[in-house]
Amino acid sequence: NGAYTIGGSSPDYVGFAAAISDLNSIGVCADVTFYVRSGNYNEQLVFGPITGASSTDRVSFVSDTNNTTAPVISNNGVVIGLNDAAWVDFAGLEFTTTANSYLVQLTGHNKGIGFSNNTFNGANIQATSSAYAIFYQSSSSSNYSENLTIDGNTFNNGSYGMYFYGS
């Protein structure tokens, strides 16, 4: 539980990978907030189930309050992968894919995921294929999301802002 920093001078975590690794191996016992400092992070953020996370014990990745510019998280492919993830929030960040792919891919049963006041820069391509959607959830009875909140975000490029199959 508690507040931690990612990046910048004397951080708790240099990047996202170590923070996510600790979440996966240790879990949480109360709210955890990661304050992301300005900078460029070339990483893929992959989330599965986090032990202890719940509607009252959430995990949040937010732009540090001292930032003058939003942190940029980019990857040559999917930037955020959510597979059976729950109770994770993202706020005030910028996400960019540098490849022709999805930016956020949801697989499995995701619950209570929140995105607020972020910027999403999808594939810079002129196409109508769902393969270049910013948010993408494929068709399968095992792929579904509940209580997914997407509020106050900016979407740039990509073939679709959101492409969700239903069953």
Side-chain angles (χ1 to χ4, degrees), residues 25-40:
S25 63
I26 300 169
V28 300
C29 61
D31 284 336
V32 174
T33 302
F34 293 96
Y35 290 99
V36 185
R37 295 176 175 159
S38 292
N40 294 309

Side-chain angles (χ1 to χ4, degrees), residues 7-151:
S9 179
S10 300
D12 296 302
Y13 296 95
V14 174
F16 287 84
I20 294 169
S21 177
D22 276 358
L23 287 171
N24 290 334
S25 63
I26 300 169
V28 300
C29 61
D31 284 336
V32 174
T33 302
F34 293 96
Y35 290 99
V36 185
R37 295 176 175 159
S38 292
N40 294 309
Y41 302 87
N42 186 16
E43 299 189 57
Q44 184 178 49
L45 315 183
V46 179
F47 296 90
I50 298 170
T51 301
S54 68
S55 61
T56 58
D57 297 327
R58 301 183 72 87
V59 175
S60 301
F61 292 85
V62 301
S63 181
D64 190 284
T65 56
N66 295 319
N67 288 345
T68 57
T69 60
V72 178
I73 301 95
S74 61
N75 188 51
N76 189 24
V78 173
V79 178
I80 301 173
L82 300 165
N83 184 11
D84 292 324
W87 314 114
V88 180
D89 297 308
F90 304 89
L93 306 172
E94 183 173 334
F95 301 99
T96 301
T97 181
T98 58
N100 292 332
S101 70
Y102 322 119
L103 201 150
V104 179
Q105 184 175 22
L106 298 101
T107 56
H109 175 205
N110 296 288
K111 179 165 72 172
I113 307 295
F115 294 92
S116 61
N117 303 313
N118 299 292
T119 299
F120 295 94
N121 300 308
N124 190 7
I125 188 168
Q126 298 285 328
T128 58
S129 169
S130 63
Y132 312 114
I134 292 175
F135 279 79
Y136 179 82
Q137 182 170 286
S138 66
S139 62
S140 168
S141 61
S142 63
N143 291 331
Y144 62 100
S145 296
E146 61 179 294
N147 299 323
L148 175 66
T149 303
I150 301 171
D151 182 48

